[in-house]
Amino acid sequence: MRKHYKSLLWTLGTSLLLAIPAAAASNGVPGTLNYVEGQVSVAGQTATAQSVGSVQLGPNQVLETGKGRAELLLTPGVFVRVGDNSAVRMVSPGLTDTRVEVVRGQAFVEVAELFKDNNVWVMMNGASTRLDKQGLYAFNANTQLVQVFDGHATIQQNDREKELNKGHELALNGNWKVNHFDTKAQAAQDPLYAWSNLRSEYEAQASMQSAQNIFVGGAPAWYGPGWYWNPYWDMYGFIPADGIWYSPFGWPFYSPWAYGYGGYGFGYGFGRYGHGYRNFGALQGHGHIGGNTLAARGGFSGAARIGGGFSGRGFAGGTHGGFGGGGGRR
Protein backbone atom coordinates (compact mmCIF):
# COMPACT_ATOMS: atom_id res chain seq x y z
CA MET A 1 0.00 0.00 0.00
CA ARG A 2 2.77 2.44 0.90
CA LYS A 3 4.57 1.69 -2.35
CA HIS A 4 1.38 2.22 -4.37
CA TYR A 5 0.75 5.52 -2.60
CA LYS A 6 4.27 6.74 -3.30
CA SER A 7 3.98 5.78 -6.95
CA LEU A 8 0.71 7.72 -7.15
CA LEU A 9 2.38 10.79 -5.66
CA TRP A 10 5.08 10.62 -8.32
CA THR A 11 2.43 10.43 -11.04
CA LEU A 12 0.49 13.37 -9.66
CA GLY A 13 3.66 15.41 -9.18
CA THR A 14 4.73 14.86 -12.76
CA SER A 15 1.32 15.72 -14.20
CA LEU A 16 1.57 19.11 -12.50
CA LEU A 17 4.95 20.03 -13.91
CA LEU A 18 3.73 22.04 -16.86
CA ALA A 19 1.39 24.03 -14.62
CA ILE A 20 4.15 25.04 -12.20
CA PRO A 21 5.84 28.44 -12.65
CA ALA A 22 9.19 28.15 -14.37
CA ALA A 23 12.23 27.98 -12.11
CA ALA A 24 14.74 30.78 -12.10
CA ALA A 25 18.48 30.41 -12.26
CA SER A 26 20.37 31.98 -9.40
CA ASN A 27 23.74 31.94 -7.72
CA GLY A 28 23.73 29.02 -5.35
CA VAL A 29 27.25 28.84 -3.93
CA PRO A 30 28.99 26.61 -1.38
CA GLY A 31 27.52 27.30 2.04
CA THR A 32 24.02 28.16 0.79
CA LEU A 33 21.23 27.02 3.11
CA ASN A 34 18.87 24.82 1.08
CA TYR A 35 16.45 23.42 3.67
CA VAL A 36 15.67 23.71 7.38
CA GLU A 37 13.27 22.06 9.76
CA GLY A 38 13.03 22.54 13.50
CA GLN A 39 15.63 24.43 15.51
CA VAL A 40 18.40 25.72 13.23
CA SER A 41 20.70 28.74 13.47
CA VAL A 42 23.39 30.22 11.25
CA ALA A 43 26.11 32.39 12.80
CA GLY A 44 23.98 32.65 15.95
CA GLN A 45 20.86 33.84 14.08
CA THR A 46 17.72 31.73 13.88
CA ALA A 47 17.17 30.21 10.45
CA THR A 48 13.65 29.55 9.14
CA ALA A 49 12.08 28.42 5.89
CA GLN A 50 12.39 32.03 4.69
CA SER A 51 16.17 31.76 5.10
CA VAL A 52 16.44 29.03 2.47
CA GLY A 53 18.23 30.19 -0.66
CA SER A 54 19.17 33.58 0.77
CA VAL A 55 21.38 32.69 3.75
CA GLN A 56 24.95 31.64 3.03
CA LEU A 57 27.63 30.58 5.48
CA GLY A 58 30.76 32.65 5.11
CA PRO A 59 34.24 31.52 6.14
CA ASN A 60 34.27 30.23 9.74
CA GLN A 61 30.54 30.71 10.23
CA VAL A 62 28.71 27.85 11.95
CA LEU A 63 25.37 26.19 11.29
CA GLU A 64 23.89 24.64 14.45
CA THR A 65 20.84 22.49 15.07
CA GLY A 66 18.92 21.68 18.22
CA LYS A 67 15.96 19.45 17.60
CA GLY A 68 16.12 20.07 13.89
CA ARG A 69 17.86 19.31 10.61
CA ALA A 70 19.31 21.30 7.76
CA GLU A 71 20.74 20.94 4.27
CA LEU A 72 23.67 22.92 2.87
CA LEU A 73 24.92 23.14 -0.69
CA LEU A 74 28.60 22.77 -1.51
CA THR A 75 29.82 22.52 -5.10
CA PRO A 76 27.13 21.66 -7.69
CA GLY A 77 25.93 18.13 -7.02
CA VAL A 78 27.25 17.97 -3.42
CA PHE A 79 24.87 18.24 -0.45
CA VAL A 80 25.61 18.33 3.29
CA ARG A 81 22.78 17.16 5.54
CA VAL A 82 23.06 17.92 9.24
CA GLY A 83 21.27 15.96 11.96
CA ASP A 84 19.83 16.88 15.36
CA ASN A 85 22.05 18.56 17.96
CA SER A 86 24.88 19.06 15.49
CA ALA A 87 27.16 21.83 14.29
CA VAL A 88 28.98 22.33 10.98
CA ARG A 89 31.47 25.11 10.28
CA MET A 90 32.15 26.48 6.80
CA VAL A 91 35.93 26.65 6.63
CA SER A 92 36.32 27.60 2.98
CA PRO A 93 33.42 28.27 0.56
CA GLY A 94 35.59 28.38 -2.57
CA LEU A 95 34.49 26.40 -5.64
CA THR A 96 37.94 24.88 -6.18
CA ASP A 97 38.74 24.47 -2.48
CA THR A 98 35.60 23.68 -0.51
CA ARG A 99 36.04 22.76 3.14
CA VAL A 100 33.55 22.17 5.94
CA GLU A 101 34.12 20.95 9.49
CA VAL A 102 31.79 18.71 11.47
CA VAL A 103 32.17 20.21 14.93
CA ARG A 104 29.46 18.35 16.79
CA GLY A 105 26.93 15.65 16.05
CA GLN A 106 26.33 13.99 12.69
CA ALA A 107 26.35 14.90 9.02
CA PHE A 108 25.91 13.06 5.73
CA VAL A 109 27.49 14.27 2.51
CA GLU A 110 25.86 13.19 -0.74
CA VAL A 111 28.03 13.56 -3.84
CA ALA A 112 25.98 13.19 -7.02
CA GLU A 113 28.72 14.70 -9.21
CA LEU A 114 32.27 15.97 -8.83
CA PHE A 115 33.82 18.18 -11.46
CA LYS A 116 37.44 18.01 -12.52
CA ASP A 117 38.62 21.02 -10.52
CA ASN A 118 36.52 20.37 -7.41
CA ASN A 119 38.35 19.70 -4.15
CA VAL A 120 35.80 18.91 -1.46
CA TRP A 121 37.09 18.28 2.06
CA VAL A 122 35.34 17.46 5.34
CA MET A 123 37.31 18.15 8.50
CA MET A 124 36.78 16.52 11.89
CA ASN A 125 38.93 16.01 14.99
CA GLY A 126 42.01 17.48 13.29
CA ALA A 127 41.73 15.15 10.28
CA SER A 128 40.77 16.13 6.72
CA THR A 129 38.76 13.81 4.48
CA ARG A 130 38.86 14.40 0.73
CA LEU A 131 35.82 13.13 -1.14
CA ASP A 132 37.32 11.57 -4.26
CA LYS A 133 34.29 10.15 -6.04
CA GLN A 134 30.54 10.28 -6.26
CA GLY A 135 29.13 8.58 -3.21
CA LEU A 136 27.64 8.89 0.24
CA TYR A 137 29.78 9.73 3.26
CA ALA A 138 28.88 9.89 6.96
CA PHE A 139 30.66 11.87 9.67
CA ASN A 140 29.95 11.58 13.40
CA ALA A 141 31.89 14.01 15.57
CA ASN A 142 30.56 12.45 18.77
CA THR A 143 32.08 9.04 17.99
CA GLN A 144 34.83 10.46 15.69
CA LEU A 145 33.78 8.00 13.00
CA VAL A 146 34.05 8.43 9.21
CA GLN A 147 32.04 5.98 7.09
CA VAL A 148 31.84 5.48 3.33
CA PHE A 149 28.48 4.07 2.28
CA ASP A 150 29.54 4.39 -1.35
CA GLY A 151 32.42 6.10 -3.12
CA HIS A 152 36.05 6.65 -2.16
CA ALA A 153 37.66 9.00 0.36
CA THR A 154 41.19 9.86 1.45
CA ILE A 155 41.74 10.80 5.10
CA GLN A 156 44.80 12.79 6.15
CA GLN A 157 46.08 13.83 9.56
CA ASN A 158 49.63 15.05 10.10
CA ASP A 159 51.84 12.38 8.46
CA ARG A 160 49.12 9.71 8.36
CA GLU A 161 46.89 8.89 5.42
CA LYS A 162 44.20 6.27 4.87
CA GLU A 163 41.95 5.45 1.94
CA LEU A 164 38.36 4.34 2.48
CA ASN A 165 36.26 2.50 -0.07
CA LYS A 166 32.59 1.53 -0.02
CA GLY A 167 31.57 -0.23 3.19
CA HIS A 168 34.61 0.86 5.19
CA GLU A 169 35.04 3.14 8.20
CA LEU A 170 37.78 4.73 10.27
CA ALA A 171 37.66 5.88 13.90
CA LEU A 172 39.77 9.04 14.12
CA ASN A 173 40.29 8.63 17.86
CA GLY A 174 41.45 5.02 17.59
CA ASN A 175 44.45 3.24 16.10
CA TRP A 176 43.61 4.42 12.57
CA LYS A 177 42.69 0.92 11.47
CA VAL A 178 40.25 0.70 8.57
CA ASN A 179 37.31 -1.59 9.34
CA HIS A 180 34.41 -2.96 7.33
CA PHE A 181 30.80 -2.17 8.25
CA ASP A 182 27.44 -3.40 7.00
CA THR A 183 26.05 -0.51 4.93
CA LYS A 184 22.53 -1.94 4.72
CA ALA A 185 22.25 -2.61 8.44
CA GLN A 186 23.65 0.83 9.25
CA ALA A 187 21.30 2.55 6.81
CA ALA A 188 18.28 0.74 8.25
CA GLN A 189 18.90 2.05 11.76
CA ASP A 190 20.08 5.59 11.01
CA PRO A 191 17.31 8.26 10.94
CA LEU A 192 19.59 10.78 9.23
CA TYR A 193 20.23 8.30 6.41
CA ALA A 194 16.48 7.92 5.85
CA TRP A 195 15.97 11.68 5.91
CA SER A 196 18.85 12.19 3.47
CA ASN A 197 17.26 9.69 1.11
CA LEU A 198 13.99 11.61 1.23
CA ARG A 199 15.76 14.92 0.63
CA SER A 200 17.59 13.41 -2.34
CA GLU A 201 14.24 12.32 -3.81
CA TYR A 202 12.84 15.84 -3.47
CA GLU A 203 15.97 17.29 -5.04
CA ALA A 204 15.56 14.98 -8.02
CA GLN A 205 11.96 16.08 -8.52
CA ALA A 206 12.89 19.76 -8.36
CA SER A 207 15.77 19.21 -10.77
CA MET A 208 13.59 17.34 -13.25
CA GLN A 209 11.10 20.20 -13.29
CA SER A 210 13.85 22.74 -13.91
CA ALA A 211 15.36 20.59 -16.66
CA GLN A 212 11.95 20.36 -18.29
CA ASN A 213 11.47 24.12 -18.18
CA ILE A 214 14.86 24.69 -19.76
CA PHE A 215 14.16 22.19 -22.53
CA VAL A 216 10.79 23.66 -23.50
CA GLY A 217 12.32 27.12 -23.70
CA GLY A 218 11.04 28.77 -20.57
CA ALA A 219 12.95 30.12 -17.62
CA PRO A 220 15.53 29.51 -16.39
CA ALA A 221 18.02 30.21 -19.13
CA TRP A 222 20.57 27.43 -19.50
CA TYR A 223 23.98 28.42 -18.20
CA GLY A 224 25.52 25.00 -17.77
CA PRO A 225 25.63 22.54 -14.88
CA GLY A 226 24.92 23.93 -11.45
CA TRP A 227 22.30 24.91 -8.89
CA TYR A 228 18.98 26.20 -10.25
CA TRP A 229 16.49 27.87 -7.96
CA ASN A 230 13.04 26.29 -8.06
CA PRO A 231 10.32 28.59 -6.65
CA TYR A 232 7.72 25.82 -6.45
CA TRP A 233 9.92 23.71 -4.17
CA ASP A 234 11.54 26.75 -2.52
CA MET A 235 15.02 25.31 -2.89
CA TYR A 236 17.87 24.82 -5.32
CA GLY A 237 17.93 21.77 -7.55
CA PHE A 238 21.02 20.31 -9.20
CA ILE A 239 21.16 20.00 -13.00
CA PRO A 240 24.13 18.16 -14.57
CA ALA A 241 25.73 19.13 -17.85
CA ASP A 242 24.59 16.13 -19.87
CA GLY A 243 22.99 12.73 -19.55
CA ILE A 244 21.60 11.49 -16.26
CA TRP A 245 23.51 11.37 -12.99
CA TYR A 246 22.22 9.22 -10.17
CA SER A 247 22.38 10.03 -6.50
CA PRO A 248 23.82 7.37 -4.19
CA PHE A 249 20.20 6.68 -3.22
CA GLY A 250 19.23 5.96 -6.81
CA TRP A 251 17.36 9.16 -7.68
CA PRO A 252 18.11 10.59 -11.14
CA PHE A 253 19.25 14.13 -11.91
CA TYR A 254 18.46 15.01 -15.52
CA SER A 255 20.19 17.41 -17.84
CA PRO A 256 17.79 19.30 -20.14
CA TRP A 257 19.05 17.31 -23.11
CA ALA A 258 18.54 13.95 -21.43
CA TYR A 259 15.04 15.02 -20.48
CA GLY A 260 14.25 16.07 -24.02
CA TYR A 261 15.63 13.03 -25.81
CA GLY A 262 14.77 10.26 -23.42
CA GLY A 263 11.59 11.25 -21.67
CA TYR A 264 11.76 10.96 -17.93
CA GLY A 265 11.10 8.51 -15.15
CA PHE A 266 11.98 7.94 -11.55
CA GLY A 267 12.90 4.69 -9.84
CA TYR A 268 12.02 4.06 -6.24
CA GLY A 269 15.21 3.26 -4.39
CA PHE A 270 16.95 1.80 -7.43
CA GLY A 271 19.76 2.86 -9.69
CA ARG A 272 23.34 3.78 -9.44
CA TYR A 273 24.98 6.94 -10.57
CA GLY A 274 26.80 7.38 -13.80
CA HIS A 275 25.54 9.50 -16.68
CA GLY A 276 24.49 6.21 -18.16
CA TYR A 277 23.70 7.10 -21.71
CA ARG A 278 25.29 9.09 -24.45
CA ASN A 279 23.47 7.43 -27.32
CA PHE A 280 20.33 9.52 -27.17
CA GLY A 281 18.92 7.91 -30.28
CA ALA A 282 18.68 4.58 -28.48
CA LEU A 283 16.04 5.88 -26.10
CA GLN A 284 12.52 4.99 -27.14
CA GLY A 285 10.68 7.07 -24.54
CA HIS A 286 8.47 4.18 -23.55
CA GLY A 287 8.82 4.65 -19.83
CA HIS A 288 9.22 1.78 -17.43
CA ILE A 289 7.96 0.14 -14.29
CA GLY A 290 10.59 -1.36 -12.03
CA GLY A 291 9.53 -1.81 -8.47
CA ASN A 292 7.84 1.55 -7.86
CA THR A 293 8.84 3.49 -10.92
CA LEU A 294 7.13 6.33 -12.69
CA ALA A 295 6.92 5.91 -16.42
CA ALA A 296 6.82 8.95 -18.66
CA ARG A 297 6.40 10.51 -22.07
CA GLY A 298 5.42 7.42 -24.01
CA GLY A 299 3.29 6.12 -21.16
CA PHE A 300 3.54 2.63 -19.77
CA SER A 301 4.75 0.59 -22.69
CA GLY A 302 4.25 -3.13 -23.10
CA ALA A 303 8.01 -3.29 -23.50
CA ALA A 304 8.51 -1.99 -19.99
CA ARG A 305 10.14 -4.10 -17.34
CA ILE A 306 7.72 -4.77 -14.51
CA GLY A 307 8.65 -5.60 -10.91
CA GLY A 308 11.94 -6.35 -9.28
CA GLY A 309 15.09 -4.27 -9.55
CA PHE A 310 16.75 -3.20 -12.75
CA SER A 311 19.67 -5.65 -12.50
CA GLY A 312 22.97 -4.85 -14.17
CA ARG A 313 21.30 -3.58 -17.33
CA GLY A 314 20.04 -0.38 -15.77
CA PHE A 315 16.73 0.77 -17.23
CA ALA A 316 17.15 -1.52 -20.21
CA GLY A 317 13.66 -2.99 -19.96
CA GLY A 318 11.85 0.31 -20.00
CA THR A 319 13.87 2.01 -22.70
CA HIS A 320 14.97 -0.87 -24.91
CA GLY A 321 18.53 -0.71 -23.66
CA GLY A 322 18.81 3.04 -23.96
CA PHE A 323 20.44 3.27 -20.57
CA GLY A 324 23.63 1.29 -20.21
CA GLY A 325 24.74 -0.84 -17.29
CA GLY A 326 25.96 2.26 -15.48
CA GLY A 327 22.38 3.14 -14.75
CA GLY A 328 21.33 0.18 -12.63
CA ARG A 329 22.26 -1.17 -9.27
CA ARG A 330 24.66 -4.06 -9.54
Side-chain angles (χ1 to χ4, degrees), residues 10 110-112 136 150 193 196-197 200-201 204 244-254 265-274 288 292-293 310 315 326-329:
W10 274 109
E110 173 186 333
V111 182
L136 183 66
D150 206 351
Y193 180 98
S196 296
N197 181 19
S200 186
E201 177 183 1
I244 301 175
W245 290 79
Y246 287 83
S247 82
F249 301 102
W251 303 110
F253 295 94
Y254 283 73
F266 283 85
Y268 170 56
F270 293 102
R272 181 175 168 83
Y273 29 63
H288 52 274
N292 289 302
T293 305
F310 299 138
F315 294 107
R329 184 177 294 280

Side-chain angles (χ1 to χ4, degrees), residues 27-221:
N27 58 342
V29 299
T32 298
L33 189 64
N34 204 44
Y35 182 80
V36 299
E37 65 178 51
Q39 300 170 337
V40 180
S41 67
V42 174
Q45 301 296 313
T46 300
T48 66
Q50 286 68 44
S51 308
V52 171
S54 61
V55 171
Q56 300 169 356
L57 273 72
N60 294 315
Q61 289 188 331
V62 177
L63 178 149
E64 295 183 86
T65 64
K67 188 173 179 57
R69 293 168 177 164
E71 178 179 272
L72 284 178
L73 306 181
L74 295 185
T75 59
V78 183
F79 308 83
V80 178
R81 300 189 176 104
V82 185
D84 293 330
N85 301 306
S86 301
V88 170
R89 181 170 67 96
M90 174 57 66
V91 179
S92 171
L95 281 172
T96 58
D97 183 27
T98 312
R99 297 172 184 259
V100 295
E101 180 184 10
V102 181
V103 179
R104 182 178 71 252
Q106 185 184 14
F108 270 87
V109 182
E110 173 186 333
V111 182
E113 183 172 7
L114 276 178
F115 293 91
K116 178 182 176 181
D117 294 325
N118 288 152
N119 289 285
V120 179
W121 296 81
V122 180
M123 304 168 65
M124 191 170 70
N125 195 39
S128 298
T129 301
R130 186 180 68 230
L131 310 184
D132 299 320
K133 292 176 59 177
Q134 300 155 277
L136 183 66
Y137 306 87
F139 299 86
N140 192 318
N142 297 338
T143 60
Q144 297 299 319
L145 191 65
V146 180
Q147 295 178 306
V148 177
F149 282 79
D150 206 351
H152 181 275
T154 303
I155 304 179
Q156 300 174 353
Q157 185 180 51
N158 299 324
D159 59 347
R160 297 187 291 186
E161 180 174 294
K162 291 287 186 180
E163 294 187 6
L164 294 185
N165 291 306
K166 177 180 178 178
H168 289 83
E169 63 184 17
L170 177 67
L172 301 178
N173 57 355
N175 59 4
W176 268 59
K177 180 182 179 182
V178 175
N179 295 305
H180 180 269
F181 74 99
D182 188 330
T183 57
K184 291 183 178 180
Q186 182 73 18
Q189 66 184 13
D190 194 325
L192 187 58
Y193 180 98
W195 184 74
S196 296
N197 181 19
L198 182 62
R199 285 297 306 161
S200 186
E201 177 183 1
Y202 291 161
E203 290 288 346
Q205 292 187 61
S207 295
M208 184 185 77
Q209 179 200 318
S210 296
Q212 179 196 35
N213 288 333
I214 292 170
F215 181 78
V216 299

